[in-house]
Amino acid sequence: MSAAACDLGHLDLVHLDWREGAAWLTLDRPGRGNALVPELLAALRARIAEARQAGAGALVLTGRGRAFSAGGDVARFAALADDRDALVGWSREIVGALNAAILDLLAFPMPVIAALNGPVTGGSAGLMLAADMVVMSEAAFLQPYYAKMGFAPDGGWTALLPARIGTARALEVQYLNQRLTAADCLRLGLASETCPPAELEARVRVRLSTLAGMDPGTLAVTRANVWSEEHLAAVAKALQRELDGFLALIARPQTRERMRTFLAPLAAGEGRR
């Protein structure tokens, strides 16, 4: 689903607020942990385009509720597991839309800040990795879950993360499904700073205030030089490899069983309520 296909109802999944010349985008699907679905990603792309068209001096991306984003909606994948064509089609749509959103963020002309209010899991890491600065609540963490689920990594776990923390460390995190706390992310350079949850917005505002005193032309040229057409093309190629790998693994019987095992405790919990 393209950004152009996003109707007004879907736009409610990502809110756009203006504060001191900066565009604040808030993922708003808290009942599902802001899990990524085509409608949310279409809304995100539309909001990014809106902020760009309006000449935002900076872009801030955050989430509503306890999680920044739980990544792909495993329940939606599992519901399609017995229909291979539907599952592969859905997977192509969701991962393709995520890749497009990541590239939209990387191509944004002004600084991008991720304000991580809570956990970042699975493909939603790409929204964090596309940011120039990351302010992270002490309640947040980063975790892949791919090897646990039998999915192939998406969202830049192989396309972007190794360049940030080193190849061996990036592989270890994914092989062992390691949880990186906010403190771990700060130590590894994935977070610019960490703070108590109640201070997250204030800390971001300090950074925006500093940016507002800088020359906007310099900021724009600096970001454009880093995320040049050549660099973006290389990232797009790597993200396409992630999509290809995801499609190769998603319909396997063992992946279906891993999804069911993962979801069983959640279903049991719902039954007890």
Side-chain angles (χ1 to χ4, degrees), residues 25-241:
L25 306 187
T26 304
L27 307 181
D28 191 4
R29 198 173 176 246
R32 302 293 297 184
N34 295 321
L36 304 176
V37 292
E39 296 85 356
L40 183 144
L41 289 166
L44 176 59
R45 296 194 67 201
R47 293 302 196 189
I48 294 170
E50 187 177 347
R52 182 172 188 151
Q53 182 66 29
L59 186 147
V60 179
L61 181 60
T62 191
R64 181 181 168 218
R66 291 182 295 178
F68 172 73
S69 176
D73 193 332
V74 178
R76 293 282 287 270
F77 285 110
L80 297 171
D82 293 328
D83 184 338
R84 188 184 189 284
D85 290 343
L87 177 60
V88 170
W90 164 263
S91 301
R92 187 185 304 277
E93 181 179 12
I94 189 70
V95 179
L98 173 60
N99 288 352
I102 292 169
L103 291 169
D104 286 348
L105 287 170
L106 293 176
F108 196 78
M110 298 300 284
V112 175
I113 301 175
L116 303 182
N117 55 298
V120 181
T121 57
S124 62
L127 307 180
M128 169 187 180
L129 294 170
D132 307 315
M133 294 175 276
V134 175
V135 182
M136 197 166 182
S137 162
E138 292 167 353
F141 63 81
L142 176 66
Q143 193 165 5
Y145 283 102
Y146 295 104
K148 194 81 171 176
M149 301 299 303
F151 293 171
D154 65 341
W157 280 92
T158 61
L160 293 169
L161 185 64
R164 297 286 299 276
I165 66 173
T167 300
R169 188 73 179 95
L171 289 171
E172 180 184 12
V173 169
Q174 294 175 74
Y175 289 158
L176 303 181
N177 191 36
Q178 292 179 342
R179 176 171 295 190
L180 300 180
T181 65
D184 293 331
C185 289
L186 182 64
R187 176 174 52 82
L188 290 169
L190 290 171
S192 307
E193 66 175 306
T194 64
C195 64
E199 296 180 14
L200 185 64
E201 182 175 335
R203 297 292 186 93
V204 173
R205 284 180 178 271
V206 170
R207 289 177 177 268
L208 291 173
S209 178
T210 301
L211 286 172
M214 304 300 175
D215 182 80
T218 300
L219 299 180
V221 169
T222 302
R223 195 164 208 269
N225 284 346
V226 169
W227 294 112
S228 64
E229 290 185 8
E230 296 81 5
H231 196 175
L232 288 174
V235 172
K237 186 175 181 179
L239 291 173
Q240 180 62 45
R241 284 197 298 269

